[in-house]
Amino acid sequence: MSKLRFRVVETAFKKRPVEVAVPKERPSEYFAKYVFNKEKMFRYLPSKVYAKLIDVIDNGAPLDRSIADEVAAGMKKWATEMGATHYTHWFHPLTEGTAEKHDAFVEHDGKGGMMEEFTGKLLVQQEPDASSFPNGGIRNTFEARGYSAWDPSSPAFIVDDTLCIPTIFVAYTGESLDYKAPLLKALRAVDKAAVEVCHYFDPEVKKVYAYLGWEQEYFLVDEGLYAARPDLLMTGRTLTGHDSAKNQQLEDHYFGAIPPRVAAFMKDLEIEALKLGIPVKTRHNEVAPNQFELAPIFEECNLAVDHNMLIMALMRKVARNHGFRVLLHEKPFKGVNGSGKHNNWSLGTDTGVLLHAPGKTPEENLRFITFVVNTLMAVYRHNGLLKASISSATNAHRLGANEAPPAIISSFLGKQLSQVLDHIEESTKDELISLSGKQGMKLDIPQIPELMIDNTDRNRTSPFAFTGNRFEFRAVGSEANCASAMIALNSALAEQLAEFKKDVDELIEKGEPKISAILDVVRRYIKICKPIHFDGNGYSDEWKAEAARRGLDCETSVPVIFDNYLKPESIAMFEATGVMTKKELEARNEVKWEMYTKKIQIEARVLGDLAMNHIIPVATQYQSELIDNVYKMKGLFPAEKAEKLSAKNLELIEEIANRTAFIKEHVDAMIEARKVANKIECEREKAIAYHDTIVPAMEEIRYHIDKLELIVDNQMWTLPKYRELLFIR
Ligand code: ADP
Ligand code: MG
C-alpha cells in the first residue's frame, strides 16, 4: 500500500514546469478575444440593433424582444467563426459553481438535413430541465420548470467549443433560484437609492455603480498526491494529517519567489483569463506554503462576480494541464492559513467615485462622509446578516481561527477617518450650522477638505476594513460565490440610503438648510453605529467579549447564523428593496441548511472510511510488527533484559491499541449519531444536529489519527503527509 505513496511522491518531486504557449500578440491584443463585447457587437450587429443593445447594457433600458433575433444572429455568426459549435445558458445555481447544458447550434432544416440555428428566442429564454437544482421547496417535482433568462449586462463568451450566455435562473412562478437574479435586483436598488442621495450634492448624477475587486486565494497540490488522498478528492480538504515540522512559521512563503512549476501555471491561467476578458493583474505567494493569490482590476459588480465564477472554473482546468489540482476550499489544511476571497467593494457614479477621499471640494468630501457613514450604518444594522451571507460549512473552519476575521462583523476605519468622524460627532449642532456657511453649500470643516485617507493604514484582522477608496469585505470564503455577500451588502445599503434620504428630507421640510440637515443626520448616525467601529485586534479574546457587550452578533454555529436571513428586519429590508421575498428567503435557507448537512455528512463518511480502511489497518499492522519484535527479544535475551529493552515498544503497542480502539468506538458512535440526525425532518434542526454532534466527533477522531501518524512507521502510512502535500511544487 505504501508503495503508492512513495511512487506518487517521487513522481511529483521530479515534475518540471510545463512549457506555456505564449501568444505572439501582446496581452492588449488578445484581451477579450473570446468575449462578445461591445467591439464585436459593433462589428456583428446592425447599427440600430447595436444602439438599442448598448442602451440596455449601459442604461438598464428594458430589453426590446424585437432585437433579440438579430442579436442572436450576430452572436452566432461571431461564435461559429470562432469555432464554437454549441451554446449554453450559463447560470449560478444555489449549489456551488456554475451550471450549463450544452446544445448544438444545429437544427433540422425540414428537408432531411441540418442547419445551424440560433434564434432570439433561444438566446433570451430557456427552460432547463432543472428539477435537480436545489430550490428549497419552491418548485416541487411536478412543476420542475425553471427559466433561464439572458442577462445582457454580462457579455457572452466562448469556452472551448461552447458559446456561454450568462443568464439568471428563476422558477416558473418567478422566484429566483440562483445568485444572479437577486444580485441584479440589489445592484439596481443601490443604484436607485444612491443616485437620490447623490442629488443632494450633484443633480447631474444619473447612475451609481457598485464595484467589486476580488482577491482569490487558493492552494495548489500535485495531482498525484491529491489522488492518493480520498479526503481531498471527495471533500476538498484533508480530514486528517498532522502538522509538518515546518509549515508557515518562518513566513518565508509570503511574497517569496514563485516556484517555477507554479509560475508556469499562473502564466497559462492569466493568458486564458485575459482571452476571456478577465482583467487579471496581481499574483503572488500567500502566507501558507503552496498557497497563492490572484486578483484582477476591479469591475462593475455583476461582471466581477461572473468573472470570479469563470476564473474558478478556469483555474481547475488549467491546473490539470500542469499536473496540479487547485484547492479552493477555505481550509484544506489544519494548522496553516486557510483561503479567503477579499471582496473589495466601492460605489461610483457615472461622473466619479464615491468612496474616495480627498475630494476636490468640501461638498465632495461631505458626500464621501455621507456614503461612508451610511455604509457603516447598513453594516451595523445587518451585521448578523452579513455574517450569514459569508457563512458556510467550509468557511466555518476559517472564520474565528487565528488567521482570518473572527466570526463577528466589525469595521476598521483607520486613524484619520476615525478622527474625522469623531470631529463631526463631537461638534454641536450650532457649530455645524455655522460651519455650513451662508449658501448652505459651502462647508467649512477644516478636517474634511484636507482628508488624506492613507490606504497603507491596514488592519488585517478586520472583516470589513476601509482601505482608502473602498471597503474590503475580508470574511468572504475562497470557494464562495461573491454574489451572496454582494447581495446582502448592496441591499442593506440601498435600504439605509433610502432611510437617510427620508431623514434628511424631513429636516429640510422643517426649514433646515440642506447641508446642515445632512450633517445633522450624519452626526446622529455616527453615534448610532458606533458599536460596529473597531480598529483593534479582531483576533483577541477581549474583542469577543467586547463585541458581545456592544450587541454585535457573536453566534458561531453556522446553521444558527443562517437564521439571520429570516429575522423580521432582514425580511423587511429585502422586501423593501425588492431584492427577495419572504418566500424566497425561506426557500434559500432550506437550501443552505441542506447543503450544510450534506457537506458534513460526506466528510463524516469519508473520515469513517479513512479510519477503518487506512488508519486502523496500517496502525494494527505496525503494532503486529512491534509485538513480533517483543516476542523475538524474549528469545534473544534473558527475560529481565528483554523486558527492559522492549519497554518502549510495549508502550507504543499499548498506545496504538488505545488509540485504534478509541477511533473505532467513535466512528461507530458517529454513524449512530448520523442515523439519529438523518431522521430529523426539519432541515434547520438537522443541520444543527450535524453541527452539534457530528462536527465535534470528527475532531476527536482526527486527533487520535494524527497522533497515530506520528508513531506509525512512515513506510507504511498510506496517505501523503502534510510535508509532501504542502512542500512539493
Ligand atoms: P491588497 O492585497 O493590498 O488588498 P490587491 O492589489 O491584492 O490588494 O487587491 C486589491 C483589489 O482591490 C484589486 O482587485 C483592485 O482592483 C481592487 N480595488 C482597488 N480599488 C477599488 C475600488 N475603488 N473599488 C473596488 N475595488 C477596488
Ligand atoms: Mg486585500
Side-chain angles (χ1 to χ4, degrees), residues 405-667:
I408 300 165
I409 301 294
S410 66
S411 187
F412 168 85
L413 298 178
K415 204 162 136 225
Q416 288 149 314
L417 187 52
S418 302
Q419 276 173 354
V420 173
L421 297 193
D422 286 348
H423 173 80
I424 296 176
E425 187 196 343
E426 282 152 21
S427 51
T428 63
K429 188 169 173 173
D430 289 347
E431 216 182 311
L432 286 176
I433 289 173
S434 74
L435 283 171
S436 64
K438 288 187 204 87
Q439 299 90 354
M441 269 308 279
K442 203 158 164 297
L443 175 74
D444 189 24
I445 298 177
Q447 281 86 339
I448 293 188
E450 279 163 40
L451 276 189
M452 285 289 284
I453 304 294
D454 179 4
N455 65 10
T456 57
D457 188 2
R458 291 297 184 90
N459 177 335
R460 303 230 164 243
T461 70
S462 177
F464 196 81
F466 184 73
T467 50
N469 61 350
R470 61 192 189 265
F471 279 93
E472 197 170 326
F473 195 3
R474 300 213 182 98
V476 183
S478 50
E479 202 171 23
N481 186 325
C482 302
S484 178
M486 289 296 109
I487 291 165
L489 178 60
N490 289 298
S491 314
L493 183 61
E495 175 201 44
Q496 178 56 45
L497 288 170
E499 286 182 24
F500 174 76
K501 170 120 175 53
K502 215 172 99 227
D503 288 347
V504 172
D505 285 353
E506 237 165 59
L507 293 181
I508 293 175
E509 268 162 39
K510 284 187 195 145
E512 206 169 321
K514 181 171 70 181
I515 292 298
S516 129
I518 292 172
L519 271 169
D520 235 12
V521 177
V522 162
R523 207 160 110 266
R524 183 152 58 81
Y525 284 3
I526 292 174
K527 285 196 172 74
I528 299 173
C529 70
K530 247 192 164 153
I532 201 73
H533 177 195
F534 178 66
D535 279 6
N537 177 8
Y539 296 172
S540 69
D541 284 333
E542 295 83 68
W543 167 235
K544 282 183 204 152
E546 168 66 17
R549 274 196 297 279
R550 293 187 187 189
L552 298 179
D553 190 309
C554 297
E555 179 60 55
T556 57
S557 160
V558 168
V560 180
I561 290 173
F562 290 152
D563 289 348
N564 278 297
Y565 273 104
L566 298 176
K567 277 197 203 151
E569 58 267 36
S570 304
I571 295 173
M573 182 276 283
F574 281 123
E575 292 201 328
T577 49
V579 174
M580 281 187 278
T581 61
K582 184 171 181 226
K583 186 175 168 198
E584 285 173 304
L585 288 163
E586 281 170 348
R588 295 167 90 92
N589 257 28
E590 291 294 302
V591 176
K592 286 182 205 297
W593 284 313
E594 197 184 324
M595 290 284 292
Y596 181 89
T597 299
K598 282 185 179 161
K599 288 246 160 172
I600 308 290
Q601 191 175 51
I602 292 169
E603 287 190 348
R605 284 185 186 152
V606 174
L607 183 66
D609 284 353
L610 284 179
M612 300 311 294
N613 300 325
H614 286 247
I615 312 302
I616 293 185
V618 170
T620 311
Q621 193 189 339
Y622 178 56
Q623 188 193 39
S624 302
E625 282 190 11
L626 293 172
I627 295 171
D628 204 35
N629 179 279
V630 170
Y631 275 112
K632 285 176 180 158
M633 292 296 252
K634 278 188 186 152
L636 276 180
F637 297 105
E640 205 178 320
K641 188 166 182 191
E643 200 173 313
K644 216 169 133 198
L645 290 174
S646 296
K648 276 283 158 220
N649 280 353
L650 284 167
E651 260 177 44
L652 283 175
I653 290 165
E654 203 174 326
E655 182 177 347
I656 293 172
N658 288 335
R659 294 202 192 278
T660 49
F662 182 98
I663 292 168
K664 171 81 174 65
E665 271 166 33
H666 281 71
V667 167

Side-chain angles (χ1 to χ4, degrees), residues 133-202:
F133 288 108
N135 61 77
I138 277 186
R139 215 185 40 225
N140 61 39
T141 41
F142 304 108
E143 187 39 89
R145 256 187 303 173
Y147 289 121
S148 55
W150 180 34
D151 166 20
S153 62
S154 181
F157 54 91
I158 295 174
V159 173
D160 300 328
D161 60 0
T162 303
L163 170 70
C164 301
I165 299 152
T167 55
I168 59 166
F169 182 43
V170 294
Y172 182 53
T173 41
E175 289 87 3
S176 52
L177 297 172
D178 69 345
Y179 283 109
K180 194 191 259 286
L183 177 66
L184 290 174
K185 290 177 186 169
L187 294 174
R188 169 159 286 202
V190 83
D191 168 20
K192 192 165 159 278
V195 163
E196 297 220 349
V197 171
C198 281
H199 285 170
Y200 285 135
F201 307 96
D202 176 2

Side-chain angles (χ1 to χ4, degrees), residues 371-389:
F371 277 93
V372 166
V373 170
N374 275 293
T375 304
L376 292 177
M377 272 294 273
V379 174
Y380 171 57
R381 290 168 64 188
H382 295 289
N383 70 88
L385 176 69
L386 283 170
K387 182 165 72 181
S389 78

Side-chain angles (χ1 to χ4, degrees), residues 345-412:
W345 166 91
S346 70
L347 294 177
T349 68
D350 47 343
T351 56
V353 283
L354 286 177
L355 287 175
H356 198 284
K360 284 188 218 68
T361 61
E363 293 84 53
E364 276 181 24
N365 284 327
L366 181 59
R367 186 176 77 171
F368 163 75
I369 296 292
T370 298
F371 277 93
V372 166
V373 170
N374 275 293
T375 304
L376 292 177
M377 272 294 273
V379 174
Y380 171 57
R381 290 168 64 188
H382 295 289
N383 70 88
L385 176 69
L386 283 170
K387 182 165 72 181
S389 78
I390 53 93
S391 289
S392 65
T394 53
N395 205 16
H397 295 283
R398 174 176 160 261
L399 296 181
N402 244 11
E403 48 156 306
I408 300 165
I409 301 294
S410 66
S411 187
F412 168 85

